[in-house]
Amino acid sequence: MVEIKTNENLAAMREAGRVVARALAAVREKAAPGVALTELDRVAREVLAEAGAGSPFLGYRPEWAPVPFPAVVCLSVNDAIVHGVPGDTRLADGDLLSVDCGATLDGWVGDSAISFTVGRARPEDTRLVAAAEEALEAGIAAAVVGNRIGDIAHAIGRVCRRAGYGIPDGFGGHGVGRSMHEDPGVPNEGRPGRGMRLRHGMVLAIEPMLIGGGTDDHFTAGDGWTVRTVDGSRASHAEHTVAITDDGPRVLTAL
């Protein structure tokens, strides 16, 4: 069931989105060669605490997960696509880091992700991150009243495939509201004109995930959470929480 949000609900979700944006900015500023992933999780926790917000990630345990998620951010390094668990690993110069963060404020959730290079960037990583951001922008541009979920999926997939990147099957965006994962699902590839029609008050997390090697193959690591590329190539992830409105798409997780 898809919950349609009121304008007041959207305003409240914007406040949660601002917290997420500040947490991502703080993590990005802290990330540097030699910094442990647990330190970045601590930075995000401090931002959430200062805002009086909770984390929809911490303790989250879907049916497939062997253990609850132990952090407030997913930190996915290099060949990790999504759901990376922060550990004692220290970042190295040139690492490609994806940071996914959520916040719950006054009962409403925001969810967003960024990818960037720590230290000196490899040209191929710069292109990969830029393609993820372009795919996100294309998906947002298609998130207008009267379009369908398939139009968003098609817009994202077209950018990814034209750039020669893989798309991990089974992973994509979702509705957001009182909980982190709501209906409808938002695939990262699909046929235009298909799926649920978009209407004012729907809120979606749109999140392209790209595999640099061009294949779609992935696997779940031994921690039961981290999703990695089979070919060892690097991956990039970009995400915003977006409200569908009569005035066009409204990004709720921008700074």
Side-chain angles (χ1 to χ4, degrees), residues 147-187:
N147 269 1
R148 295 182 180 271
I149 292 292
D151 295 311
I152 298 175
H154 177 70
I156 293 171
R158 182 171 55 184
V159 171
C160 299
R161 296 302 188 189
R162 283 182 174 177
Y165 297 125
I167 301 172
D169 185 45
F171 293 89
H174 48 87
V176 185
R178 292 285 185 182
S179 63
M180 180 168 56
H181 291 132
E182 298 184 352
D183 291 332
V186 186

Side-chain angles (χ1 to χ4, degrees), residues 106-233:
D106 296 329
W108 295 100
V109 174
D111 188 8
S112 184
I114 57 174
S115 295
F116 56 91
T117 299
V118 177
R120 292 169 294 182
R122 307 191 311 182
E124 57 267 36
D125 290 344
T126 299
R127 291 192 294 269
L128 180 61
V129 170
E133 293 173 350
E134 181 185 352
L136 175 59
E137 291 173 2
I140 293 171
V144 298
V145 172
N147 269 1
R148 295 182 180 271
I149 292 292
D151 295 311
I152 298 175
H154 177 70
I156 293 171
R158 182 171 55 184
V159 171
C160 299
R161 296 302 188 189
R162 283 182 174 177
Y165 297 125
I167 301 172
D169 185 45
F171 293 89
H174 48 87
V176 185
R178 292 285 185 182
S179 63
M180 180 168 56
H181 291 132
E182 298 184 352
D183 291 332
V186 186
N188 285 328
E189 191 169 32
R191 297 176 63 181
R194 299 294 183 92
M196 181 177 294
R197 191 174 296 279
L198 306 179
R199 51 183 290 203
H200 179 90
M202 293 174 66
V203 180
L204 307 173
I206 299 174
E207 51 177 325
M209 304 167 200
L210 283 63
I211 297 177
T215 72
D216 299 350
D217 300 330
H218 59 277
F219 70 98
T220 301
D223 61 17
W225 279 98
T226 307
V227 179
R228 297 187 178 277
T229 64
V230 168
D231 62 7
S233 65

